[in-house]
Amino acid sequence: MACTSDSWLYCLAILLLIAIVESAEQPHLSNENGVKTSVFLSPKFVLEPGSVSNKYYYDLDFPRGHIALKDFNAEVVDEAGNPIPLQETYLHHWIVLRYYQQKGVEIHGNAGFNQSDHVVIVRNSGVCDNDNPQYFGLGSETRRTATHIPDPYGIEIGNPVEIPHGYEEKWMLNVHAIDTRGVRDRLGCTECRCDLYNVTVDEYGRALPPDYDGGFRCCYDETKCRVKEGFYGVKRSLYLRYTVKYIDWDASIVPVKIYILDVTDIWTRSDESKGVRSQHYCLVEYEVESCDIGVANDGCTHTKSVRVSLPTSGDVIYGVAHQHTAGIGSTLYGQDGRVICSSNPIYGEGNEAGNEAGYIVGMSTCYPVPGSVKISDGEILTLVSNYSSARRHTGVMGLFYLLVADSSAKPDIALHAPAHVHVEMKIFIPGLGVVLFGTTIILVLIFAFQIRSREKRDYEAIWD
């Protein structure tokens, strides 16, 4: 329809409606005092009772440019954006990996990603050589674990000087979720006991070791945990909603390095005389045997420890542990026995998302005063992970995340006073206020158009 002088109000209403629909599909950009927040949704994953989704998503929606990351958190939600409690969908883990990909080249599938000559994985600063390369990652504790990086520190990304010529920086997301609605043994399913999943080979078709009774090698993508007979539940589409806070990079920001320590680390120390270089081989998961029958169950504690050393020295800016159900805390000690950071689990006490009874819903964190906790060059650290052993547990983890800054950096807190936060949203629908405002304007314009048309008809009838 052509817009004439008589129908311009109607055309204006149509154009406004189109503008509102388009705005729903684009992030809302703003910049208030430099702190930015982006909220994204992962591609959907579909689960039914007992099923497992452990998928990898490449070229993830992520803030671009030379920036400093200040915070990253996530949670599982449904199509309406409602948080999903852990007793329905257990979030085993999510991780975010940084990589460079050659321009003009497409990567298909996880195998193609790992084997491609066109991809350069940008690992964290250590210490595992074979695993744990991620920049961010948590599990069931994600909703109530602080992850913000205090001023004036930040994780530097997007530096054009560091990106190889002909490549571009991208991000990958791995989400491992287990639908435990109606399962026969909820804890057994979340601990990936092989008998409950009825598997004898891993996801690559390799036979599992006879003594491997449970762990992530038994709950891989599209496996299914045993469901109670007669239980039926609907399939549903879920998403990982993740929030990234960041600021534009400038010279006043002090960069931090990411270290992920693993209590299963098998450390081969360097020996120049034999041509052996230092290597850290991390198993990632381990098993907790139940305590002796004669020991009171309430007092049973399984302790696992490992000695490690960081490749560089620095100031500890942040620390937190990652444990599974039955974890009772983890501590990192310095060579002289001092506590560098102690991180303890927070167990839920209710049914609502973020407070699920029996689950670890958060981990306490460490934020030392800048410069007060240092790790020396070559210092031998001891990581201790404690679990209750009142019963047996499979596939448990004992990771420890550290952010470390160069001690020689001169932080200037005044340059990074607390700032107001704006939000860049990329979700299903625009904000309710925008919708209501736009709808009101459209209705007013249409109403005005109808009145004008009626007046015109009345005016013409007089002349008939």
Side-chain angles (χ1 to χ4, degrees), residues 234-379:
V234 298
K235 288 184 178 182
R236 59 182 180 182
S237 297
L238 302 177
Y239 305 80
L240 188 77
R241 180 169 61 199
Y242 56 101
T243 302
V244 188
K245 295 183 180 181
Y246 59 100
I247 57 177
D248 292 330
W249 186 264
D250 66 58
S252 66
I253 301 170
V254 179
V256 295
K257 293 183 177 180
I258 305 168
Y259 292 102
I260 300 179
L261 311 183
D262 190 334
V263 77
T264 67
D265 186 356
I266 301 174
W267 181 19
T268 301
R269 302 199 189 192
S270 62
D271 187 339
E272 295 182 1
S273 64
K274 298 180 180 179
V276 177
R277 68 177 185 87
S278 176
Q279 184 176 17
H280 293 267
Y281 185 83
C282 298
L283 302 176
V284 182
E285 62 177 1
Y286 64 103
E287 188 172 296
V288 172
E289 293 290 347
S290 62
C291 58
D292 295 335
I293 297 177
V295 179
N297 284 348
D298 291 341
C300 293
T301 299
H302 179 279
T303 299
K304 187 174 181 64
S305 63
V306 69
R307 301 178 73 194
V308 296
S309 178
L310 302 188
T312 58
S313 60
D315 296 334
V316 175
I317 306 303
Y318 169 83
V320 67
H322 169 68
Q323 292 187 312
H324 289 186
T325 301
I328 54 178
S330 184
T331 302
L332 182 66
Y333 296 93
Q335 189 165 329
D336 58 358
R338 73 192 187 285
V339 173
I340 292 176
C341 177
S342 186
S343 179
N344 298 310
I346 302 167
Y347 282 89
E349 300 176 343
N351 294 316
E352 67 276 16
N355 189 37
E356 300 92 333
Y359 293 89
I360 294 181
V361 297
M363 295 292 297
S364 66
T365 54
C366 298
Y367 285 96
V369 174
S372 64
V373 178
K374 298 179 181 292
I375 294 177
S376 303
D377 188 27
E379 182 175 4

Side-chain angles (χ1 to χ4, degrees), residues 164-185:
H165 178 70
Y167 286 73
E168 55 188 336
E169 182 180 82
K170 294 191 175 186
W171 297 82
M172 183 271 285
L173 170 68
N174 169 224
V175 181
H176 189 184
I178 304 171
D179 191 321
T180 57
R181 292 175 295 166
V183 297
R184 293 183 59 180
D185 183 345

